[in-house]
């Protein structure tokens, strides 16, 4: 048994290098028992490398990583016996039925035939797969296969389940189905580490969010905490293309920052820190420029805004995107 006071995950100063490239650069992470933590970051940020360290698939070059109180390097067998894992793609055997998949995994976990049958039946019922229990997993829909994958990760009742981008490649309906299944795990008190690129997924499921970029943790907190750091945004829509340039000048004058401009939607956005005061200045500046606003609103920043600001990526919207009216971003004019 792991110490009852131990956090589910304790990571301190973890580094991992592949040839000349660092995948992890001194990562720090603490996940409390019963918590749902989202690890958010773009492709290549280091999320999957960290998961591989925590699941003992690779060894770190430096630092300490403990899972359920066990050191991943010194006690890998104890770590593996105390976790469940569902990767980016379904790992169940498509030839076997849903029941046979879970029965086999339970047997490999050390259960007897009667115990393995009970575990498989219970998990199939829990994830609403009883009617499909006798069908080959290859015939399952994407959402059903993902639910079966999650069920497989729960064989043995591990206190910690790690989900590495569990909804990658799923259609919207299957993604919602998976979120519901994860919600059931949360309701039962299972500790979950969830890596994802989907901002809505992190916003909906996680108690706390850790943002990782280029192998480093760049921010951590609740969704509300992170959104508060990003402040608010002024959103302006105008009726005619010819008003984009004077509207951009007006917002720049009112806020001290160049607005993002979506020419196709005739929409301008700019981050502000003083909310209603900036809104008043914008109204005055727009009148001075002779711009008629179809819409002018003050919006709370979304998790998308937070992510893009923290990772240094430009905010992108559909259409002919410019940073100033009539001036293309460098990457789009190249």
């Amino acid at each position: 048994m792991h110490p009852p006071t131990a956090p589910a995950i304790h990571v301190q100063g973890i580094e991992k290098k592949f040839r000349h490239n660092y995948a992890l650069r001194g990562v720090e992470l603490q996940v409390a028992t019963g918590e749902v933590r989202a690890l958010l970051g773009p492709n290549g940020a280091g999320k999957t490398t960290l998961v591989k360290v925590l699941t003992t698939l690779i060894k770190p070059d430096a630092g300490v990583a403990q899972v359920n109180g066990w050191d991943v390097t010194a006690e890998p067998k104890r770590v593996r016996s105390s976790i469940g894992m569902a990767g980016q793609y379904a790992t169940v055997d498509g030839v076997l039925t849903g029941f046979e998949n879970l029965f086999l995994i339970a047997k490999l976990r050390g259960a007897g035939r009667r115990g393995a049958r009970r575990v498989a039946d219970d998990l199939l019922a829990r994830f609403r797969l009883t009617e499909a229990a006798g069908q080959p997993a290859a015939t399952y829909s994407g959402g059903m296969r993902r639910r079966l994958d999650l069920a497989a990760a729960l064989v043995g009742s591990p206190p910690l389940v790690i989900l590495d981008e569990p909804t990658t490649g799923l259609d919207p309906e299957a993604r919602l189905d998976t979120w519901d299944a994860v919600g059931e795990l949360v309701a039962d008190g299972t500790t979950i580490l969830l890596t994802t690129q989907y901002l809505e997924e992190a916003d909906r499921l996680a108690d706390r969010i850790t943002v990782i970029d280029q192998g480093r943790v760049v921010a951590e907190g609740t969704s509300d905490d992170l959104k508060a750091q990003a402040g608010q945004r002024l959103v302006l829509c105008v009726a005619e293309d010819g008003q984009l340039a004077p509207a951009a000048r007006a917002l720049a004058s009112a806020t001290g920052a160049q607005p993002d401009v979506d020419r196709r939607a005739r929409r301008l956005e700019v981050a502000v820190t003083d909310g209603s005061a900036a809104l008043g200045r914008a109204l005055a500046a727009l009148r001075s420029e002779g711009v008629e606003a179809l819409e002018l609103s003050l919006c709370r920043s979304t998790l998308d805004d937070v992510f893009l600001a923290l990772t240094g990526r430009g905010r992108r919207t559909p259409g002919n995107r410019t940073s100033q009216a009539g001036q293309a971003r460098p990457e789009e004019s190249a």
Side-chain angles (χ1 to χ4, degrees):
M1 295 293 291
H2 60 82
T5 57
I9 296 174
H10 168 72
V11 172
Q12 185 174 4
I14 285 293
E15 296 186 359
K16 183 62 185 178
K17 187 177 183 180
F18 296 102
R19 294 187 179 180
H20 303 296
N21 299 317
Y22 277 96
L24 300 173
R25 302 169 180 263
V27 170
E28 309 276 338
L29 180 67
Q30 296 280 341
V31 178
T33 299
E35 180 182 343
V36 181
R37 177 67 63 91
L39 194 62
L40 183 65
N43 280 331
K47 305 186 303 297
T48 297
T49 300
L50 180 58
V51 165
K52 287 181 177 180
V53 169
L54 295 175
T55 53
T56 76
L57 294 177
I58 60 174
K59 293 183 178 181
D61 297 328
V64 174
Q66 296 176 343
V67 174
N68 294 317
W70 307 117
D71 186 278
V72 298
T73 300
E75 300 165 300
K77 290 184 179 180
R78 291 185 180 273
V79 170
R80 290 194 289 270
S81 67
S82 72
I83 63 174
M85 171 70 186
Q88 296 181 23
Y89 305 100
T91 55
V92 294
D93 191 317
V95 176
L96 300 179
T97 67
F99 174 84
E100 289 168 341
N101 269 285
L102 298 183
F103 180 83
L104 175 61
I105 294 171
K107 289 281 289 180
L108 292 173
R109 282 271 195 174
R113 288 186 61 85
R114 182 177 299 177
R117 178 176 292 276
R118 183 174 60 253
V119 167
D121 286 338
D122 288 348
L123 286 171
L124 287 166
R126 179 176 180 179
F127 287 93
R128 305 186 305 281
L129 292 169
T130 299
E131 292 186 2
Q135 300 173 15
T139 67
Y140 286 13
S141 68
M144 292 170 66
R145 284 176 67 90
R146 180 50 72 191
R147 292 208 307 274
L148 184 60
D149 233 18
L150 293 176
L154 288 184
V155 172
S157 301
L160 170 66
V161 174
I162 298 176
L163 307 178
D164 187 19
E165 301 193 11
T167 58
T168 294
L170 297 184
D171 61 39
E173 183 178 1
R175 181 171 296 130
L176 290 172
D177 206 17
T178 302
W179 288 355
D180 288 342
V182 172
E184 293 176 13
L185 302 184
V186 174
D188 288 344
T190 304
T191 305
I192 294 177
L193 178 67
L194 167 74
T195 77
T196 183
Q197 296 182 67
Y198 297 114
L199 298 155
E200 183 185 1
E201 190 162 84
D203 208 358
R204 174 168 175 166
L205 298 177
D207 297 316
R208 294 178 65 81
I209 298 169
T210 297
V211 183
I212 185 169
D213 190 34
Q214 298 181 9
R216 293 187 175 94
V217 172
V218 295
E220 186 174 288
T222 66
S223 177
D224 286 342
D225 290 340
L226 296 177
K227 290 174 184 177
Q229 292 179 24
Q232 297 172 301
R233 298 184 69 84
L234 275 178
V235 178
L236 169 66
C237 293
V238 296
E240 301 175 358
D241 291 345
Q243 291 192 317
L244 286 172
R249 288 196 301 269
L251 291 187
S253 173
T255 65
Q258 289 294 336
D260 294 321
V261 181
D262 182 348
R263 296 186 63 84
R264 183 178 298 172
R266 302 189 187 101
R267 176 186 174 99
L268 303 90
E269 292 188 33
V270 63
V272 296
T273 57
D274 52 355
S276 57
L279 182 61
R281 294 194 303 273
L283 281 169
L286 289 169
R287 283 195 297 267
S288 178
E289 289 283 354
V291 175
E292 180 179 353
L294 290 179
E295 175 191 342
L296 178 62
S297 58
L298 185 64
C299 304
R300 185 186 185 193
S301 290
T302 66
L303 198 56
D304 300 60
D305 298 317
V306 175
F307 175 76
L308 295 170
L310 289 171
T311 59
R313 288 158 174 79
R315 200 170 193 277
R316 302 183 66 84
T317 59
N320 180 16
R321 182 60 184 270
T322 60
S323 57
Q324 300 178 46
Q327 179 178 336
R329 288 187 182 274
E331 65 268 26
E332 294 180 348
S333 61

